[in-house]
């Protein structure tokens, strides 16, 4: 059976913007605006406070990990002692490659691995919308180890570095999402996969996107009546089942068109459309241009 979550992480094509080790001593506050990238932080020692726009502040302890797939702005500050109201620090890189906040000659009270990554997929906004908007994991050593590997590889000048970093980021993202079980999850893919009824229908769609799915057929996969399934799917996923299926089929179609390995007729068949004309009509309505023109536009970029 297909793993929808792994498919989405792979299609996102994560790329490392940067990853760094930060040491802080004394009071500090770092504020970032207009980030518009994925942000992750692994706290190695000490305590700190993370404030993200639209979220309750988080108190991080040693061993905690935070991942935000699409952060716009955030503030990271000390807890012991709290910073003065007007204090804003800027990390300074030392000769050893470590960034420091506060006195450079003092022993660090807080140590953290932080990083940003971007998603190369043109469909990143759609794919990210299926993921939780914040993951907070306490005391998971595997995440700290993976974050350290991403940092070390991103800073090195080794053969195939970009390929290794991309694969490490995929592993880091998957590990973070599956470790960050939320007792009250918001609508989205993780919530859907965890739902005993919605999960089987999601896996069925991803395993066979070419199948002629109907709401009734998906309801049978879920073991529910048609109306009960429709209501439950929409509540768990935040959209109706056929809208999710179309979004996924169009995402796959765009990926296939960018790869350039298949004809439009072959893509039509693999995404569940009975003819090239039916696929072209659906694609044009969804994307805004016919698949042939989309393919040519991608080729010239």
């Amino acid at each position: 059976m297909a793993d929808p979550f792994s498919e989405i992480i792979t299609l996102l094509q994560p790329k490392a913007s940067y990853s760094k080790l930060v040491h802080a001593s004394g009071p500090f506050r770092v504020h970032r605006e207009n980030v518009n990238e994925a942000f992750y932080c692994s706290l190695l020692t000490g305590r700190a406070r993370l404030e993200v726009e639209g979220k309750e502040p988080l108190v991080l302890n040693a061993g905690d990990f935070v991942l935000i797939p699409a952060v716009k702005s955030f503030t990271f500050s000390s807890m012991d002692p709290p910073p003065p109201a007007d204090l804003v620090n800027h990390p300074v890189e030392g000769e050893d490659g470590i960034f420091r906040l506060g006195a450079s000659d003092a022993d660090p009270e807080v140590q953290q691995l932080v990083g940003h990554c971007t998603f190369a997929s043109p469909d990143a906004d759609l794919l990210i919308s299926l993921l939780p908007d914040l993951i907070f994991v306490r005391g998971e050593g595997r995440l700290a180890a993976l974050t350290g590997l991403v940092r070390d590889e991103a800073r090195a000048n080794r053969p195939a570095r970009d390929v290794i970093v991309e694969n490490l980021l995929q592993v880091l993202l998957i590990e973070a999402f599956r470790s960050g079980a939320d007792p009250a999850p918001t609508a989205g893919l993780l919530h859907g996969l965890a739902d005993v009824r919605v999960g089987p229908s999601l896996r069925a769609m991803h395993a066979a996107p070419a199948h002629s799915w109907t709401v009734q057929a998906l309801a049978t996969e879920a073991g529910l009546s048609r109306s009960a399934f429709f209501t439950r799917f929409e509540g768990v996923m935040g959209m109706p089942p056929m809208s999710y299926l179309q979004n996924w089929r169009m995402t796959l179609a765009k990926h296939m068109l960018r790869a350039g390995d298949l004809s439009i007729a072959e893509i039509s068949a693999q995404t569940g459309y009975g003819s090239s004309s039916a696929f072209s009509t659906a694609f044009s309505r969804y994307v805004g241009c016919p698949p042939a023109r989309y393919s040519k536009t991608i080729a010239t970029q």
Side-chain angles (χ1 to χ4, degrees), residues 210-247:
H211 185 74
S212 299
W213 291 112
T214 63
V215 175
Q216 181 58 60
L218 292 168
T220 300
E221 293 285 336
L224 293 172
S225 69
R226 186 183 186 282
S227 59
F229 168 72
F230 186 94
T231 300
R232 184 155 178 162
F233 190 101
E234 188 170 33
V236 169
M237 293 298 296
M239 65 180 74
M242 301 313 288
S243 295
Y244 179 89
L245 179 61
Q246 184 190 42
N247 286 349

Side-chain angles (χ1 to χ4, degrees), residues 170-298:
Q170 289 181 14
V171 175
L172 174 64
L173 293 172
I174 291 170
E175 183 67 24
F177 283 117
R178 73 181 186 180
S179 298
D182 187 346
T186 56
L189 186 63
L190 280 188
H191 192 184
L193 291 174
D195 188 276
V196 67
R197 296 295 189 180
V198 172
S201 67
L202 282 170
R203 293 183 176 89
M205 280 189 270
H206 281 255
H211 185 74
S212 299
W213 291 112
T214 63
V215 175
Q216 181 58 60
L218 292 168
T220 300
E221 293 285 336
L224 293 172
S225 69
R226 186 183 186 282
S227 59
F229 168 72
F230 186 94
T231 300
R232 184 155 178 162
F233 190 101
E234 188 170 33
V236 169
M237 293 298 296
M239 65 180 74
M242 301 313 288
S243 295
Y244 179 89
L245 179 61
Q246 184 190 42
N247 286 349
W248 183 242
R249 283 173 167 171
M250 290 295 109
T251 299
L252 291 176
K254 290 165 74 176
H255 179 73
M256 294 176 195
L257 287 166
R258 288 193 296 271
D261 300 327
L262 300 175
S263 67
I264 290 177
E266 290 171 320
I267 295 173
S268 302
Q270 291 193 23
T271 52
Y273 291 90
S275 66
S276 295
S277 60
F279 168 69
S280 296
T281 299
F283 189 92
S284 299
R285 186 182 300 117
Y286 185 87
V287 178
C289 67
R293 186 189 304 169
Y294 178 85
S295 185
K296 290 179 181 178
T297 301
I298 292 297

Side-chain angles (χ1 to χ4, degrees), residues 68-140:
I68 309 170
V71 67
K72 292 184 173 61
S73 66
F74 67 89
T75 301
F76 198 81
S77 57
S78 57
M79 292 285 296
D80 309 309
D86 58 348
L87 177 66
V88 178
N89 301 87
H90 299 280
V92 177
E93 185 176 10
E95 294 182 359
D96 55 3
I98 298 174
F99 287 77
R100 288 176 171 81
L101 296 167
S104 59
D105 56 350
D107 291 335
E109 297 164 354
V110 175
Q111 299 181 62
Q112 56 183 316
L113 279 167
V114 299
H116 291 270
C117 69
T118 58
F119 300 117
S121 170
D123 306 306
D125 289 345
L126 168 63
L127 295 169
I128 289 172
S129 72
L130 300 174
L131 303 174
D133 54 9
L134 185 146
I135 289 290
F136 179 33
V137 184
R138 288 200 179 276
E140 177 50 70

